[in-house]
Amino acid sequence: MAQSNGRRTSRRDIYLKLRHLVLTLELAPGAALSENELAASLGVSRTPVRESLILLAQEGLVQVFPKIGSFVSRVDPAQVADAQFLREAVELASLDDLPARLDPEVVGELRDNLDRQQRADLGLEEFFALDEAFHQGLMRLSGHGNVWTTVAGAKGHLDRARRLGLHENVSPAVFATQHREILDAVVGGDAPLARTAMRAHLRAVFNDIERIRAHSPELFATDATTVPVRRNIVVWE
């Protein structure tokens, strides 16, 4: 039984690793996926890789074309919009549910998070992690921090669009400033201002999509289903 549990853990780890590579754009939108190459790079057999690709296909992050192969899904603006709708509804509802007295420990963690967001040497993935922690922390203030797991699991296409936007920006400082405006409004008890600032902050991704799609349309899904031509794995640089 212990060996069986180990195998299950290994397969879960492989799935999470491949999902991370897709979400962080290390496996870029449209990249061809070779089970053999992925298994070799991860030091595992093809079986957990194949099972992981099936799970990722169920999430819409991988597409499988019979007799052609598997490919990383291109970013789908429709799925981005759906995930954005869900995220905005949850986060704004969380702001409406803030208690009269905020947990000072959580507020302190959020302020420390903001300070780290403004480090000059901060990498994009470091900022992304802090961004996620900040938004989850705001939900913790209203007692709904555990809901973040559900939100995070539904926003794969949204997270890739957000990362594309971060790659396009010279600095994530503008987003850090928006975070500070949101927290200041929350701590100051100005719920309407917090909601307005949060809504504008979350919807900025739509401007990023339109700007990036203008010069890199190959990264995005279209209404028409196009069967891809197999090629080597693409790595985001």
Side-chain angles (χ1 to χ4, degrees):
M1 285 297 294
Q3 186 177 6
S4 174
N5 286 337
R7 283 200 298 268
R8 284 200 295 271
T9 301
S10 174
R11 288 168 181 169
R12 174 71 176 172
D13 289 343
I14 297 305
Y15 157 74
L16 291 175
K17 176 62 175 176
L18 290 177
R19 190 175 192 272
H20 178 75
L21 291 175
V22 170
L23 294 186
T24 59
L25 309 176
E26 292 184 58
L27 290 173
L33 300 171
S34 164
E35 290 182 7
N36 287 333
E37 292 178 19
L38 289 172
S41 67
L42 296 171
V44 297
S45 68
R46 290 177 57 188
T47 300
V49 170
R50 184 182 306 114
E51 293 172 346
S52 297
L53 293 180
I54 291 172
L55 292 175
L56 292 171
Q58 292 172 353
E59 290 185 57
L61 295 175
V62 166
Q63 286 182 294
V64 179
F65 294 87
K67 299 182 180 180
I68 297 176
S70 299
F71 297 79
V72 178
S73 298
R74 289 173 168 80
V75 177
D76 186 342
Q79 292 196 49
V80 172
D82 287 343
Q84 176 62 28
F85 175 82
L86 171 64
R87 181 178 182 182
E88 184 176 311
V90 169
E91 294 206 50
L92 292 184
S94 180
L95 291 177
D96 287 339
D97 212 18
L98 288 168
R101 183 180 182 278
L102 302 177
D103 185 328
E105 183 177 345
V106 177
V107 171
E109 291 175 5
L110 287 168
R111 293 205 182 281
D112 178 65
N113 180 301
L114 289 177
D115 290 340
R116 285 182 285 157
Q117 285 183 34
Q118 295 183 321
R119 275 176 34 214
D121 62 342
L122 195 65
L124 291 183
E125 281 305 315
E126 290 178 285
F127 177 81
F128 195 92
L130 288 171
D131 180 291
E132 294 282 284
F134 176 79
H135 284 272
Q136 184 178 22
L138 285 177
M139 295 184 66
R140 286 172 57 206
L141 280 177
S142 63
H144 301 299
N146 291 335
V147 178
W148 185 257
T149 302
T150 301
V151 174
K155 60 188 183 75
H157 281 264
L158 173 59
D159 283 348
R160 291 195 295 162
R162 290 169 59 210
R163 282 184 169 94
L164 287 172
L166 285 173
H167 278 284
E168 287 271 305
N169 286 288
V170 176
S171 168
V174 61
F175 302 114
T177 298
Q178 291 170 359
H179 287 157
R180 191 171 295 279
E181 291 173 353
I182 295 168
L183 182 60
D184 285 347
V186 166
V187 173
D190 192 337
L193 178 59
R195 286 176 56 87
T196 298
M198 177 68 81
R199 184 180 291 109
H201 171 66
L202 294 180
R203 292 185 180 183
V205 68
F206 295 125
N207 293 329
D208 290 338
I209 287 176
E210 293 308 311
R211 187 177 66 255
I212 298 167
R213 187 158 51 174
H215 62 72
S216 299
E218 71 280 359
L219 298 174
F220 296 88
T222 60
D223 293 334
T225 300
T226 302
V227 179
V229 176
R230 187 156 190 86
R231 59 196 183 282
N232 293 330
I233 291 179
V234 178
V235 178
W236 181 267
E237 297 180 351

